[in-house]
Amino acid sequence: MASMEKIVSLCKRRGFIFPSSEIYGGLNGAWDYGPLGVELKRNLKQAWWDDMVAHHDETADLPGAPQPFGMVGLDSALLMNPKVWEASGHVGGFSDPMVDDRETRARYRADQLAVFALELVGADGAVERYDEVLFASPGEVGTSAPAELFEPHRKRIASLQKHKRAGEARPVAVPGALNDEALRAKVIAPGAAAPGTLTAPRAFNLMFKTHVGALEDNSSVTYLRPETAQGIFVNFKNVCDTARVRVPFGIGQIGKAFRNEINPRNFTFRSREFEQMEIEFFCRAGDSEQWYRYWRERRYRWYLALGIKAENLHLREHEASELAHYAAACADVEYDFPFGRSELEGIANRTDFDLRQHMQMSGKDLRYFDDQEQNEEARRYLPHVIEPSAGADRGTLAFLSDAYSEDEVGGEPRTVLKLHPRLAPIKAAVFPLVKKDGMPEKGLEIYRALKKRFNVYYDEKGAIGRRYRRQDEAGTPFCVTVDGETLTAGTVTVRERDSCAQVRVGVAELGAYLSERLGA
Ligand code: GAP
């Protein structure tokens, strides 16, 4: 897999992703999508919307689904009544443990700061544990490479090895060190000169606070939504009353979410402003386990169908100890990003927690009424909820990382983004072979005809090989070249990005040819 540096550099160079407000030095945790990036991310969101909502057939028996089900969409406001966030538990509990370094003034998420002692291996092979001083590094003992953990303490560890005449030094985790005052006093923070400068972990609420209206007092406080999910729950009754849906059914929504992350990092992976693609799927409590399994499998397979390599994608069931108090089950779709394996999407069985909370807080009856149910007691109930919650920015980063590839064509190195045609920002590029003999005119004619149907690109500048390589880097699946035969025989060459194979296609058939291969 390509390094993060290569992906970030390609994103900048080709206009996929830029740091937000870059001319002013940027803003940590915020990113802008450039001309190619906006197309890629929109295509990802469109694929999700089409596959999950718009093209869903509520009459069909889908493989693995317990029964046919409905799907509808929603677009709720970013700003909501602050009571929403009290009911959901975000005001009281949506926080990360944070520690500050009094010396360097850096701030860390306590659960992302590894504290380790050293094991020093002597010349005779004997192992001595050294824990008079402990070291803290961003990362995790066991998953982060020792070199990464050692980096902020390189000099100190090297001088210790010399002093103790030791060979190899190995990190050994000291779990819970930051919560223990005596151990914390021994911890050297990254970049600090002396031990004991880290504060005890404190809860830090991740919601962005703002004020609505002219008065900036407590009565006007609200929040930028930290997830799109609550917008769906508070509209559950509206949807039931208007959309003629019957349980089981799902409501899908795509939109921005904001979290004041303590340490935004790994490019767009952990941002402060990002987009979610969430489904709240409502079913009877007794069926929720079956639906949970269905959605877990279906969401995992969705990434594979869009081209993510199976060896890079994993489905991880949470241990009972990892579950939120309201969740009956949860699984993560994880991806092997260049910086390590991490969550791409979570699928949770949220029981009836959210609807129950909103029913209590608002005083409105949010129970579903099943008019076809004969049993009086079973007619009104709070459905249970399965929630597949995906990130559009993490998805975009995963598809970019997975598609990035370097190979050689005709003895020359090339960078190519092997994106699924549905996701590719530009679907085809049209080139006249040379800028004369009527080829540009014919090329423009073909370009204009195709542009009505697909996002195509016209380029007549530079050597043809260089034009191919620019499109390979942008992930364009097809390049159409107009040459002498186009003018005499009415055919063009179509070059396929990954194999570089070229075929001749009649100009009259070109639209249908591309449409079939692009799945458009
Ligand atoms: N409603 C459930 C919920 O929001 P979550 O696991 O906190 O669950 C769901 O978020 C998804 O949103 C994650 O799997 C991830 O793809 C995306 N996400 C969460 N925080 C993010 C962040 N700071 N930056 C980018 N994406 C994020």
Side-chain angles (χ1 to χ4, degrees):
M1 170 158 302
S3 66
M4 210 54 210
E5 288 74 38
K6 283 194 172 175
I7 289 163
V8 173
S9 148
L10 174 81
C11 284
K12 180 82 211 298
R13 189 170 76 246
R14 293 309 312 273
F16 279 95
I17 301 171
F18 308 121
S20 159
S21 39
E22 196 181 6
I23 58 168
Y24 291 102
L27 181 71
N28 204 4
W31 300 93
D32 296 342
Y33 287 75
L36 288 179
V38 65
E39 296 291 341
L40 172 60
K41 190 168 154 194
R42 279 176 79 102
N43 289 343
L44 181 67
K45 290 185 286 178
Q46 195 64 47
W48 184 93
W49 189 261
D50 286 348
D51 295 347
M52 298 300 125
V53 182
H55 296 175
H56 173 75
D57 177 354
E58 75 283 1
T59 65
D61 274 312
L62 294 183
Q67 66 182 91
F69 59 92
M71 286 296 299
V72 292
L74 185 80
D75 187 10
S76 67
L78 285 172
L79 295 173
M80 292 195 256
N81 188 308
K83 290 205 173 92
V84 170
W85 306 111
E86 280 175 48
S88 68
H90 284 81
V91 170
F94 190 56
S95 55
D96 277 339
M98 169 195 82
V99 293
D100 284 312
D101 181 1
R102 285 182 289 254
E103 185 186 326
T104 63
R105 302 197 165 274
R107 177 165 280 184
Y108 302 97
R109 242 176 83 168
D111 55 345
Q112 290 172 357
L113 201 58
V115 176
F116 60 93
L118 289 180
E119 265 182 4
L120 299 170
V121 187
D124 57 356
V127 178
E128 187 198 344
R129 180 167 165 144
Y130 176 82
D131 50 14
E132 286 155 47
V133 170
L134 304 177
F135 302 88
S137 275
E140 212 177 308
V141 181
T143 27
S144 307
E148 267 171 56
L149 295 175
F150 286 171
E151 184 49 35
H153 308 286
R154 203 167 23 90
K155 280 194 188 145
R156 199 182 294 265
I157 292 172
S159 95
L160 196 66
Q161 281 170 298
K162 202 169 158 196
H163 177 67
K164 297 262 177 194
R165 295 176 198 280
E168 192 194 350
R170 298 192 292 236
V172 198
V174 185
L178 293 174
N179 291 307
D180 179 311
E181 207 178 327
L183 290 177
R184 213 171 47 245
K186 292 200 221 174
V187 175
I188 302 190
T197 57
L198 289 173
T199 63
R202 281 175 292 146
F204 172 76
N205 195 298
L206 299 182
M207 282 200 295
F208 279 100
K209 237 184 210 176
T210 189
H211 293 269
V212 172
L215 278 181
E216 286 206 3
D217 60 13
N218 280 344
S219 69
S220 67
V221 164
T222 191
Y223 306 91
L224 300 187
R225 67 180 178 198
E227 59 172 18
T228 62
Q230 297 304 325
I232 300 181
F233 291 123
V234 298
N235 277 293
F236 173 70
K237 198 170 154 35
N238 283 338
V239 173
C240 286
D241 290 349
T242 57
R244 303 181 74 200
V245 283
R246 291 186 54 75
V247 168
F249 75 94
I251 305 178
Q253 165 155 248
I254 299 178
K256 290 267 186 179
F258 300 83
R259 296 183 190 176
N260 199 1
E261 297 283 358
I262 297 168
N263 280 327
R265 61 191 181 131
N266 291 331
F267 200 24
T268 56
F269 178 83
R270 192 174 301 287
S271 313
R272 289 189 168 130
E273 174 179 342
F274 54 97
E275 264 180 297
Q276 291 187 312
M277 310 184 288
E278 297 201 293
I279 295 170
E280 305 304 326
F281 186 81
F282 303 92
C283 61
R284 278 195 181 265
D287 301 333
S288 66
E289 255 183 67
Q290 268 183 301
W291 283 112
Y292 168 69
R293 283 199 295 277
Y294 167 72
W295 279 109
R296 201 182 52 181
E297 297 309 313
R298 175 150 181 218
R299 291 302 307 146
Y300 172 73
R301 292 191 186 289
W302 186 75
Y303 292 96
L304 297 179
L306 279 175
I308 291 270
K309 297 181 196 84
E311 66 265 28
N312 293 335
L313 198 70
H314 313 273
L315 195 53
R316 186 180 72 82
E317 193 66 36
H318 283 207
E319 304 285 334
S321 60
E322 289 178 84
L323 294 177
H325 62 94
Y326 52 81
C330 188
D332 285 345
V333 178
E334 296 185 329
Y335 178 73
D336 290 328
F337 287 96
F339 49 82
R341 186 171 296 179
S342 251
E343 177 188 334
L344 191 53
E345 166 161 356
I347 300 100
N349 179 344
R350 294 180 74 114
T351 65
D352 61 358
F353 172 79
D354 303 87
L355 287 180
R356 190 170 291 285
Q357 288 291 105
H358 288 304
M359 186 153 115
Q360 266 166 22
M361 188 87 177
S362 67
K364 301 281 184 316
D365 187 355
L366 299 183
R367 286 175 303 166
Y368 174 73
F369 178 66
D370 186 349
D371 57 359
Q372 287 174 21
E373 173 64 55
Q374 303 306 316
N375 179 336
E376 196 60 39
E377 285 209 346
R379 292 183 98 181
R380 271 190 197 281
Y381 63 94
L382 273 185
H384 278 220
V385 170
I386 309 301
E387 177 195 67
S389 173
D393 306 83
R394 276 192 201 174
T396 303
L397 184 59
F399 280 103
L400 272 170
S401 309
D402 217 66
Y404 185 101
S405 141
E406 289 172 353
D407 59 14
E408 265 192 19
V409 175
E412 290 218 17
R414 74 162 179 167
T415 300
V416 51
L417 280 186
K418 296 184 174 178
L419 288 167
H420 190 284
R422 284 179 79 189
L423 300 182
I426 298 169
K427 305 302 181 192
V430 181
F431 307 147
L433 182 62
V434 288
K435 240 172 120 178
K436 57 182 184 185
D437 301 337
M439 289 182 209
E441 291 74 11
K442 190 70 193 167
L444 275 172
E445 189 186 313
I446 293 172
Y447 163 76
R448 286 180 186 135
L450 291 176
K451 190 76 178 176
K452 295 194 179 99
R453 298 175 61 183
F454 315 106
N455 189 6
V456 289
Y457 185 78
Y458 177 77
D459 188 4
E460 57 180 27
K461 291 190 199 81
I464 190 86
R466 193 168 300 158
R467 281 183 267 166
Y468 281 148
R469 273 190 293 285
R470 273 187 69 75
Q471 294 307 316
D472 290 341
E473 259 194 352
T476 308
F478 298 102
C479 289
V480 175
T481 304
V482 172
D483 55 18
E485 265 186 74
T486 314
L487 305 167
T488 54
T491 59
V492 288
T493 62
V494 179
R495 171 190 180 267
E496 198 273 332
R497 177 195 64 203
D498 300 352
S499 63
C500 296
Q502 301 199 9
V503 289
R504 285 211 83 86
V505 177
V507 172
E509 286 78 55
L510 188 58
Y513 179 92
L514 291 177
S515 175
E516 195 189 324
R517 279 153 189 82
L518 294 167

